[in-house]
């Protein structure tokens, strides 16, 4: 059974701080890694994708991938109250399916 | 683009009744996925189609659940008979292709309550 584990949270950070979200996965054959954001009562929306080891930056968001450690993370710099949401890590392996973690709820306090 | 469209957005029904959820994928996308989300189990893949053909239904909970995709622009998920434990948010998602880099786009979801 392919698994994706996320730090359960909830995670609370003050406005302007860095929020760090972590994810580990069990399938070494995984090829693509995604971070989705889900606001309460809404559907997941993609915010970052990463396919190779290292860092990928997009605005205030940085995704980090370490395939040897089977670890992927998301850093949110200068956190804003509007970043308050549940963040879902998703992993795609050799098949077409995405396997999702259960999510980490982030609250950014003004 | 209108995005993935789902209907109804909310459904309240009584145990034993048949429930049909509908999904229209993004035009041109050739794969469609049905998910169920609950607090306890998170987001679970139920079934997915490629070019209207079911590829993997291993996530379908039991025979009470069935899904069809009669054409590229429409899919249904049916629960018959429904049970209270089926209460969840059901999402449909579509994707352009099946490359590793392709992104899934989710519909707004259907919140199902079975009394």
């Amino acid at each position: 059974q392919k698994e994706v584990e996320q730090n359960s949270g909830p995670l609370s950070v003050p406005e302007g701080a860095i929020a760090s979200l972590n994810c580990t996965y069990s399938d070494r054959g995984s090829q693509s890694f995604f971070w989705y954001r889900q606001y309460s009562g809404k559907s997941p929306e993609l915010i970052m994708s990463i396919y190779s080891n290292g860092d990928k930056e997009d605005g205030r968001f940085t995704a980090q991938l370490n395939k040897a450690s089977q670890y992927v993370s998301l850093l949110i710099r200068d956190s804003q109250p509007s970043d308050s949401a549940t963040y879902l890590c998703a992993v795609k392996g050799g098949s077409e399916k995405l396997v999702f973690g259960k999510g980490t709820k982030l609250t950014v306090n003004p | 683009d209108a995005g993935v469209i789902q209907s109804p957005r909310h459904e309240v029904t009584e145990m034993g009744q048949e429930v049909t959820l509908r999904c229209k994928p993004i035009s041109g996308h050739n794969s469609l996925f049905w998910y169920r989300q609950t607090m306890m189990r998170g987001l679970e893949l139920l079934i997915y189609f490629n070019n209207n053909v079911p590829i993997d239904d291993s996530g379908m909970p039991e025979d009470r659940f069935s899904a069809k995709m009669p054409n590229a622009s429409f899919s249904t998920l049916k629960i018959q008979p429904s049970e209270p434990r089926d209460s969840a948010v059901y999402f449909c998602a579509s994707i352009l292709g099946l490359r590793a880099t392709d992104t899934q786009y989710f519909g707004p979801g259907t919140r199902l309550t079975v009394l």
Side-chain angles (χ1 to χ4, degrees), chain B residues 2 16 36 81 92 96 99-100 103 107:
Chain B
R36 177 174 67 177
C92 176
L96 178 61
R99 297 169 303 177
T103 301

Side-chain angles (χ1 to χ4, degrees), chain B residues 60-110:
Chain B
M60 295 286 263
E62 49 198 271
D63 291 346
R64 296 185 298 107
F65 285 68
S66 62
K68 294 181 179 180
M69 192 165 185
N71 57 62
S73 58
F74 184 67
S75 177
T76 60
L77 178 68
K78 186 175 294 186
I79 308 172
Q80 166 63 18
S82 58
E83 296 182 3
R85 60 191 168 121
D86 301 330
S87 297
V89 180
Y90 291 80
F91 289 105
C92 176
S94 72
I95 195 169
L96 178 61
L98 292 177
R99 297 169 303 177
T101 54
D102 285 337
T103 301
Q104 288 190 21
Y105 294 91
F106 283 77
T110 295

Side-chain angles (χ1 to χ4, degrees), chain A residues 36-99:
Chain A
Y36 283 79
R37 178 177 61 200
Q38 187 175 24
Y39 292 115
S40 180
K42 301 295 184 182
S43 58
E45 60 174 326
L46 181 72
I47 54 171
M48 287 288 288
S49 58
I50 187 166
Y51 313 111
S52 55
N53 281 328
D55 295 1
K56 179 181 178 182
E57 187 175 314
D58 184 1
R60 296 186 296 111
F61 298 94
T62 298
Q64 299 175 318
L65 175 61
N66 183 325
K67 288 187 178 180
S69 301
Q70 296 176 240
Y71 175 89
V72 59
S73 67
L74 179 70
L75 299 178
I76 306 174
R77 292 181 301 281
D78 188 23
S79 295
Q80 301 297 308
S82 59
D83 295 326
S84 298
T86 295
Y87 289 81
L88 301 168
C89 174
V91 175
K92 185 188 293 187
S95 75
E96 300 82 3
K97 296 189 292 188
L98 275 180
V99 179

Side-chain angles (χ1 to χ4, degrees), chain B residues 19-33:
Chain B
V19 174
T20 300
L21 311 181
R22 297 172 176 80
C23 176
K24 175 179 170 55
I26 294 173
S27 178
H29 283 195
N30 59 22
S31 294
L32 181 143
F33 301 77

